[in-house]
Amino acid sequence: QVQLVESGGGLVQAGGSLRLSCAASGRTFSSYAMGWFRQAPGKEREFVGYIIWSGGFTRYADSVKGRFTISRDNAKNTVYLQMNSLKPEDTAVYYCAADSTGWGATISARYDYWGQGTQVTVSS
């Protein structure tokens, strides 16, 4: 069982930055791939990016590539989402998720555990 808690959301102006954190419980965190997804009002949850168990590979949605960076600290059981050059269309609830295969996926159904989400609002 893995419990995930996101933090770091808030209100920021367009062009600004935020860093989200996702703290995980459990001793097996380092074996999980970690993904980030987001859901805007009235829209389906969408893939943002993921990082594999070792931190040696990341993948991003085209909409955030070059602006967002995922990293992890396995010693702290934490994964991060650094968001730069934020746009109003990045406004959403952001979720972290854990994939027990360790290799990540762009599909939300592949993830076994989810956090409760943190709101990010970007004003124009």
Side-chain angles (χ1 to χ4, degrees):
Q1 186 78 8
V2 175
Q3 292 185 324
L4 305 173
V5 179
E6 301 97 335
S7 61
L11 174 63
V12 63
Q13 288 188 332
S17 298
L18 279 176
R19 187 176 81 156
L20 305 185
S21 299
C22 173
S25 65
R27 292 176 290 179
T28 58
F29 173 78
S30 60
S31 68
Y32 285 82
M34 299 300 296
W36 286 95
F37 290 77
R38 66 186 182 185
Q39 188 167 18
K43 296 188 177 181
E44 293 187 352
R45 189 170 298 187
E46 67 171 353
F47 169 73
V48 173
Y50 69 76
I51 186 167
I52 67 170
W53 66 275
S54 66
F57 180 80
T58 54
R59 181 175 178 179
Y60 300 94
D62 288 344
S63 58
V64 306
K65 201 173 295 182
R67 299 189 298 122
F68 290 12
T69 303
I70 299 173
S71 60
R72 66 188 298 160
D73 185 339
N74 286 343
K76 295 182 178 180
N77 279 15
T78 302
V79 63
Y80 305 97
L81 177 65
Q82 178 67 45
M83 305 185 293
N84 299 328
S85 302
L86 282 161
K87 305 174 181 180
E89 51 263 43
D90 293 319
T91 295
V93 177
Y94 283 71
Y95 300 89
C96 68
D99 168 26
S100 60
T101 71
W103 297 106
T106 63
I107 302 171
S108 61
R110 278 279 304 275
Y111 291 80
D112 305 284
Y113 303 101
W114 291 82
Q116 82 290 348
T118 186
Q119 176 71 47
V120 171
T121 303
V122 184
S123 63
S124 57

